Amino acid sequence: MAKEDYYDLLGISRDASGDELKKAYRKLAVKYHPDKNQGDKEAEEMFKKISEAYDVLKDPDKRAAYDRYGHSAFEGGMGGMGGAQVDPFDIFREVFGGSGSIFDELFGGASSRGGSRASSGSDLRYDLEISLEEAAKGVEKEIRYRRLVVCPDCGGSGASPGSSVMTCPDCGGSGYVTSQRGFMTFRQVCPRCGGSGKTIEKPCPTCGGEGRTMETNRLKLRIPAGVDTGSRLRSQGKGEAGVHGGPPGDLYVIIHVEEHDVFERSGDSLFCEIPIKFTVATLGGTIDVPTLFGKGSLKIPAGTQSGTVFRMRGQGMPNLRSQARGDQLIRVVIEVPKKLSGDQREKLKDFAEACGDESNPVAESFFEKAKRFFE
Ligand SMILES: [Zn+2]
Ligand SMILES: [Zn+2]
């Protein structure tokens, strides 16, 4: 079977630049990587072929030889360019960095340089409940949570104090071992050392060789005014310690604002319902109203109907970003007295008589509309 042309394999022209070559290889390498095509022999074969093609064309001398002599430049020692037997994973690693596993490339996994598999610590989540008053004014809270920290006894190396860290005998320090599957050579992270390339003579008794231990961490948090349920505060580096010197993760504090018995919140607005006497509604007056920032007062104009909503500007929740305060909306509900003294009843009767058939404006328009029901 004739070998396919290297340029055709990579889908580039014969005068493609180094950048174009690399780009073409990257695209195809991701497409045919065995990690993504488990058990697919054809993809495996393609992965091998494009790796070989790229390996030859990226080298100016080899490319020149290939351009002049074709595949025969690399056969049977002719041309003295050496065999084209390359490890496709070596090439993949060289181009993409990482461990040669596609998952490192696609999912941003452990960054791996020189065999040391440092990886960042996990992020942590903490759910914090606060009151509406605290959300309105901002608050400082101390929280306690468990997290993995760098082991204080071994400094994260995992080795018992006084003992040494040795080169892993299974992988010779590279962090990878190879295994043969069919005609493909697979590279995988060394199971003995987990890719670090090092093993521990005597594991640290505190952390069992893991390099991290559990600790209860106390943290003072400044909760800004205006937070709402679902607000997420990030404390950089307060998550779990990294592995083998990797950076620590972050702590995310998720805010939950408790329900309030007087106020209902919607964004930066606060709502509340206040009962008022029917005399105040009729004659007008001033009432005391609760606000999150203390006692306030509200003028009720004469002739206020039940259900009227009044707006108190700037008495709502502060905006988390601008800190400008929203409004408080007050819905008044007119309360009808249930018990009347004899004197009160008499006076009210006199009042009713004085009113006669004279009606109220709301009732008038209502009875006008509902007229046909009474005919
Ligand atoms: Zn330790
Ligand atoms: Zn190893």
Side-chain angles (χ1 to χ4, degrees):
M1 196 174 73
K3 265 186 117 171
E4 284 135 294
D5 179 71
Y6 285 154
Y7 292 97
D8 289 349
L9 269 169
L10 292 168
I12 53 174
S13 66
R14 298 194 84 80
D15 55 13
S17 69
D19 273 357
E20 286 172 301
L21 169 68
K22 200 166 182 172
K23 231 171 114 183
Y25 166 76
R26 287 182 74 105
K27 217 174 118 190
L28 293 170
V30 168
K31 185 175 169 192
Y32 292 117
H33 195 289
D35 282 359
K36 229 177 117 182
N37 301 276
Q38 292 289 329
D40 183 344
K41 287 279 167 210
E42 253 178 66
E44 205 172 80
E45 192 54 34
M46 271 306 282
F47 184 60
K48 221 174 148 187
K49 282 180 184 167
I50 57 153
S51 303
E52 188 190 299
Y54 174 73
D55 185 59
V56 168
L57 297 183
K58 75 172 174 21
D59 180 321
D61 288 340
K62 284 188 190 173
R63 185 171 174 174
Y66 177 74
D67 286 347
R68 283 186 80 176
Y69 307 109
H71 290 296
S72 59
F74 309 104
E75 277 161 14
M78 271 177 64
M81 296 305 292
Q85 288 305 312
V86 291
D87 181 342
F89 293 97
D90 271 338
I91 293 167
F92 188 86
R93 208 162 39 247
E94 180 189 303
V95 172
F96 287 92
S99 66
S101 159
I102 199 166
F103 296 113
D104 284 356
E105 167 63 22
L106 294 182
F107 305 116
S111 77
S112 144
R113 248 186 295 261
S116 146
R117 271 175 85 80
S119 62
S120 34
S122 304
D123 293 338
L124 292 175
R125 171 193 172 123
Y126 187 95
D127 291 276
L128 179 66
E129 209 164 83
I130 62 170
S131 69
L132 187 63
E133 281 87 350
E134 289 172 332
K137 288 162 196 165
V139 66
E140 198 166 271
K141 290 266 179 189
E142 193 185 77
I143 63 167
R144 286 157 56 100
Y145 62 101
R146 304 270 292 161
R147 68 162 177 167
L148 285 166
V149 292
V150 173
C151 173
D153 291 342
C154 63
S157 73
S160 177
S163 78
S164 59
V165 177
M166 309 177 301
T167 300
C168 171
D170 282 14
C171 61
S174 72
Y176 300 96
V177 288
T178 51
S179 62
Q180 197 78 27
R181 246 180 275 157
F183 53 83
M184 285 290 286
T185 301
F186 281 92
R187 268 181 177 247
Q188 52 176 202
V189 173
C190 171
R192 177 158 180 170
C193 61
S196 67
K198 297 181 181 88
T199 52
I200 293 153
E201 201 179 30
K202 223 174 114 198
C204 163
T206 310
C207 61
E210 217 252 327
R212 302 188 294 178
T213 50
M214 262 306 188
E215 188 196 75
T216 298
N217 194 38
R218 288 160 174 271
L219 183 67
K220 272 210 170 96
L221 286 173
R222 178 86 227 133
I223 315 286
V227 290
D228 203 346
T229 293
S231 294
R232 207 172 71 150
L233 308 173
R234 176 167 170 246
S235 289
Q236 206 174 351
K238 301 295 183 193
E240 299 202 318
V243 180
H244 298 120
D250 299 331
L251 173 74
Y252 288 94
V253 175
I254 316 291
I255 300 292
H256 300 267
V257 180
E258 291 161 7
E259 272 194 22
H260 198 272
D261 51 0
V262 174
F263 297 107
E264 214 174 291
R265 175 185 188 176
S266 173
D268 300 339
S269 300
L270 285 176
F271 297 90
C272 77
E273 216 171 63
I274 297 182
I276 58 171
K277 290 180 186 159
F278 80 100
T279 47
V280 172
T282 312
L283 302 170
T286 303
I287 60 164
D288 289 341
V289 290
T291 80
L292 274 185
F293 307 93
K295 197 168 90 172
S297 68
L298 179 66
K299 245 187 101 158
I300 306 290
T304 292
Q305 303 300 327
S306 196
T308 303
V309 176
F310 295 95
R311 180 180 292 265
M312 293 173 76
R313 289 197 190 278
Q315 296 297 314
M317 293 296 286
N319 185 280
L320 185 58
R321 291 221 177 98
S322 67
Q323 291 295 306
R325 294 236 299 258
D327 300 336
Q328 178 170 328
L329 297 162
I330 295 166
R331 186 169 179 270
V332 294
V333 180
I334 292 168
E335 204 169 30
V336 176
K338 279 195 166 164
K339 272 188 202 158
L340 292 177
S341 66
D343 184 40
Q344 285 168 336
R345 182 183 299 275
E346 281 313 309
K347 284 184 167 144
L348 208 52
K349 272 185 174 170
D350 290 346
F351 172 70
E353 229 159 81
C355 291
D357 282 342
E358 214 174 280
S359 207
N360 296 315
V362 178
E364 265 166 27
S365 81
F366 171 76
F367 286 113
E368 183 59 31
K369 272 186 280 185
K371 207 162 54 186
R372 65 178 190 278
F373 293 98
F374 299 112
E375 279 162 358

